[in-house]
Amino acid sequence: MTDETLASLAPAPDAIPTPEPVFTPEPEPVLTPAPEPTPAPDPVLEPAPASPPVEVISVDELLERLQGEADESQETQPPEETLPADPGDTVAVEIGPDTLATLDGLSDINQELVLISDQLADIQLHQTRPVLTTSFEDYTVMEGLLLLLLLLAFAAACAKILKGGLSWLKS
């Protein structure tokens, strides 16, 4: 037999019935009760270690003790340079180049902050100006052009509405 005759004798794949799967119910799980929690024994509180009693002293005695500690710390520190008593006296202080660069940067920042505050003052001045009560002489050229553009857009929108609403008159 040839392949063609074998293919014609063989049943079509659609003709072979496929067995339907049989569903078997799964066994229900058996619930086991949770074990009872055993109560924890109460912790035994141990007495706190005995602290030394607080010593009460008078204010005068406290000041004397503090003064004595201050005297001891002054004895251990090397003597400091005395500052000039007169405000007109000057003391030479050496400043490093990195500190000078930082100070120059701070002065630049200070100048920029002044410019920004001036610009903010101008903005606040324009914000407080009411739009409908300001005369046309007080507007800048840019504001006047924007106002003219707004009025032209409004007139064009009104014309379109009227043209669409009265189109029934043409027919």
Side-chain angles (χ1 to χ4, degrees), residues 30-46:
V30 178
L31 298 177
T32 58
E36 293 289 325
T38 57
D42 291 335
V44 178
L45 297 177
E46 296 179 12

Side-chain angles (χ1 to χ4, degrees), residues 136 141-157:
F136 289 113
V141 173
M142 181 62 92
E143 290 172 336
L145 290 175
L146 288 173
L147 181 61
L148 183 63
L149 184 66
L150 179 69
L151 289 175
L152 289 175
F154 179 74

Side-chain angles (χ1 to χ4, degrees), residues 149-166:
L149 184 66
L150 179 69
L151 289 175
L152 289 175
F154 179 74
C158 288
K160 281 187 178 182
I161 290 172
L162 287 175
K163 186 177 180 181
L166 299 177

Side-chain angles (χ1 to χ4, degrees), residues 72-95:
E72 290 173 6
S73 65
Q74 286 179 359
E75 291 173 0
T76 59
Q77 294 178 352
E80 296 181 10
E81 295 181 18
T82 58
L83 296 176
D86 187 18
D89 292 344
T90 58
V91 176
V93 178
E94 187 174 327
I95 297 176

